[in-house]
Amino acid sequence: MDEFKFSTGIVVRIKRVSPFLISDVLKTIPRPRPPVQEVDYGDGVKRQEENPAHPSYELALEEYNQRVTELSTRITLRRGVEADIDYAALSQIKEELAADFGVELEEKDDLIAYIKYVATGSPDDVRRLAAAILSESQPSEEAIQANVDSFRG
């Protein structure tokens, strides 16, 4: 298991996440379909055709893409990160936001909340963490070569 260091100095352990797990979970989210409308071609022929440029479809597709990204990120973080959660730091952030801004954080999962609100110091941290987990989930060059060599009788 490799380690990942955030810009805040916090270190977590990262592990492999099966791409099949993410893919199978994302398949459960139905992709929106464009609305169908009648199109008159001017020669007396009218057809029902999907309209992917319809504003309601564009909005539904944007919401779908946000949901897919959110769920994919949650699975990747939940399954790909192990951390010794600093509950005192997490509680302090929650208390400060409630007291100073009247805001209650919506994240209920302590690991994800810790990563999002305590460990992460910049947007680049999120990109680097995702890249580290994904690279951890890919076969190494050594493993690929060993498999190639095993086929050479």
Side-chain angles (χ1 to χ4, degrees):
M1 191 173 311
D2 289 338
E3 290 187 340
F4 176 85
K5 185 174 184 178
F6 289 89
S7 63
T8 57
I10 294 172
V11 177
V12 297
R13 295 167 303 282
I14 58 172
K15 58 185 178 178
R16 294 178 181 265
V17 175
S18 170
F20 296 109
L21 173 65
I22 295 170
S23 176
D24 285 354
V25 170
L26 295 181
K27 285 178 190 175
T28 66
I29 304 173
R31 184 178 180 89
R33 300 217 17 128
V36 176
Q37 65 185 52
E38 187 175 274
V39 177
D40 185 348
Y41 285 93
D43 58 358
V45 177
K46 295 180 181 179
R47 289 192 208 139
Q48 296 291 319
E49 294 185 4
E50 290 183 346
N51 180 4
H54 194 281
S56 66
Y57 173 70
E58 289 177 342
L59 179 62
L61 191 57
E62 183 179 324
E63 290 171 353
Y64 166 81
N65 288 330
Q66 287 175 347
R67 178 72 178 127
V68 164
T69 299
E70 176 187 324
L71 193 53
S72 178
T73 300
R74 291 184 69 78
I75 294 166
T76 301
L77 292 178
R78 196 71 189 93
R79 302 288 304 167
V81 177
E82 289 183 1
D84 299 319
I85 299 170
D86 181 345
Y87 288 100
L90 186 55
S91 291
Q92 180 181 356
I93 287 176
K94 289 180 179 181
E95 290 168 10
E96 287 174 0
L97 286 175
D100 296 346
F101 304 105
V103 173
E104 182 179 331
L105 296 178
E106 62 183 56
E107 183 58 63
K108 301 303 180 203
D109 183 293
D110 285 342
L111 174 64
I112 294 175
Y114 179 69
I115 293 167
K116 288 170 66 174
Y117 308 132
V118 179
T120 300
S122 73
D124 189 52
D125 280 349
V126 177
R127 184 195 57 75
R128 289 186 315 106
L129 177 60
I133 293 169
L134 291 175
S135 69
E136 179 73 14
S137 299
Q138 301 301 316
S140 67
E141 287 297 322
E142 295 83 18
I144 292 170
Q145 189 59 48
N147 279 323
V148 168
D149 292 344
S150 72
F151 286 106
R152 291 190 180 141

